[in-house]
Amino acid sequence: MSKERGVTLRAQWLGQLLRDLREQKGFTLKDAGEYLQRTGATVSRFETGVYPIRRVDTAALLDLYGVEDPKHRDMLLQLAGELWQTGWWESYADDAWSSTIDLAWLEDRAVSLRLFAGMVVPGLLQTREYALALFSATSPDMSAHRLTRGVDLRQERQQILHRDTPPQITAVIDEAALRRTVGSNDVMAGQLRHLRQMMDLPQVEINVLPFELGAHASPEGSFALIGLAAPFSDIAHSECPGGAIYLERTGVDRLVRVYDQLRGTSLDAEKSAAFLAALEKDLS
């Protein structure tokens, strides 16, 4: 069933960058609108992401704001082009929340991903069987088509792990996520085996946060830190039943400190692999 997409993260992101440039130069919305032969209200909609700005209008505003640095201009113009381009993730737009589409877009751009999983295995490291069982439990009323499409999207997101220049992934996984049986013992054993196989990839590191360490730095739940190439700043992503939350700047800085604490108290790679192997053996 099709649904309205709404405002996308990338449109909001570019809009905020253009707003910052306008305000730094002291231009009003009316000034920018008159330069584009539009209204100030239209420029406002560009800046809030309500209406994605086109590349030609972005180029005109960069001229008005005096942005001459080639790298800066190219970065903003590339982002403007991406507002209207159709990436692989767009084929799922009718079957997934817009926040999930935004996440797939960010992951595709990422140079690093730092993940903390408190309750379930991170989506990028899930087997198909685990994802199917998880979706079935969290959305029991979902149609078979939507269920399959949701799992397909999660599987396709994982292709970033196998591209020529994959992002560096470090994942801290709480023991609770590893001991909770999702689907069946066989499904869970397969998931644990998959995690150990993923640890053989040079771009993937997994650290287990065991119960014996007691309270930890993120009792509120899971989150992801998405590292992007310069000049973009890192973004933090967190999900809850009410939807997804994206944080920048100070919010990211706080979560970086939390992540470093979690990783610093977790088991190293060798001990984590042994921990996963022991849990898998218990399920066989």
Side-chain angles (χ1 to χ4, degrees):
M1 180 175 61
S2 176
K3 61 178 182 296
E4 186 178 350
R5 285 290 313 281
V7 179
T8 66
L9 178 67
R10 45 202 139 139
Q12 290 178 314
W13 198 6
L14 177 58
Q16 182 61 55
L17 292 171
L18 292 173
R19 177 182 177 181
D20 291 344
L21 287 171
R22 177 178 60 77
E23 293 180 343
Q24 287 167 13
K25 293 296 183 178
F27 289 110
T28 65
L29 288 170
K30 182 180 179 181
D31 294 333
E34 288 178 347
Y35 187 82
L36 293 178
Q37 298 184 334
R38 306 286 187 94
T39 65
T42 297
V43 176
S44 178
R45 286 194 287 272
F46 289 157
E47 292 182 352
T48 57
V50 171
Y51 186 78
I53 187 170
R54 292 189 179 275
R55 186 183 174 94
V56 63
D57 288 325
T58 302
L61 288 178
L62 296 182
D63 292 339
L64 175 64
Y65 303 152
V67 179
E68 298 179 351
D69 179 70
K71 289 185 178 180
H72 196 186
R73 285 184 68 93
D74 288 348
M75 176 269 290
L76 292 169
L77 290 172
Q78 179 186 350
L79 186 54
E82 290 179 8
L83 301 189
W84 295 92
Q85 288 174 353
T86 302
W88 66 261
W89 47 83
E90 297 294 350
S91 65
Y92 293 92
D94 289 340
D95 303 302
W97 296 112
S98 60
S99 59
T100 304
I101 302 299
D102 285 334
L103 178 60
W105 172 71
L106 282 171
E107 290 172 342
D108 195 67
R109 272 180 159 262
V111 295
S112 68
L113 291 157
R114 288 170 286 179
L115 315 173
F116 171 61
M119 297 300 294
V120 297
V121 171
L124 289 175
L125 300 173
Q126 291 176 7
T127 64
R128 185 175 186 86
E129 293 77 17
Y130 182 99
L132 182 60
L134 188 63
F135 280 20
S136 297
T138 57
S139 303
D141 298 328
M142 185 181 291
S143 68
H145 171 76
R146 288 284 300 280
L147 188 65
T148 299
R149 292 287 286 168
V151 175
D152 288 346
L153 172 56
R154 182 154 297 186
Q155 293 283 290
E156 195 154 1
R157 282 169 50 203
Q158 296 175 6
Q159 295 307 306
I160 62 170
L161 298 173
H162 306 289
R163 67 190 185 194
D164 292 339
T165 55
Q168 185 67 37
I169 294 181
T170 57
V172 177
I173 305 179
D174 193 282
E175 184 175 344
L178 301 171
R179 287 198 176 275
R180 182 177 298 280
T181 301
V182 174
S184 67
N185 282 359
D186 286 343
V187 168
M188 202 64 209
Q191 177 61 71
L192 295 169
R193 190 178 313 115
H194 179 70
L195 289 175
R196 290 196 292 116
Q197 292 169 348
M198 290 293 98
M199 294 177 75
D200 291 334
L201 298 176
Q203 68 271 24
V204 176
E205 181 176 335
I206 296 173
N207 303 104
V208 175
L209 191 66
F211 285 150
E212 64 185 31
L213 293 178
H216 58 71
S218 186
E220 298 86 1
S222 306
F223 61 89
L225 297 168
I226 304 169
L228 301 166
F232 295 112
S233 59
D234 291 356
I235 289 180
H237 169 265
S238 180
E239 289 187 0
C240 66
I245 298 172
Y246 290 95
L247 300 173
E248 298 182 68
R249 300 184 177 92
T250 56
V252 174
D253 292 340
R254 188 186 77 81
L255 284 177
V256 167
R257 292 192 293 270
V258 170
Y259 186 83
D260 288 344
Q261 287 180 263
L262 292 166
R263 192 176 180 196
T265 55
S266 63
L267 301 179
D268 63 25
E270 183 178 354
K271 290 181 179 178
S272 293
F275 193 99
L276 293 170
L279 287 182
E280 181 187 341
K281 183 177 180 181
D282 288 343
L283 291 173
S284 61

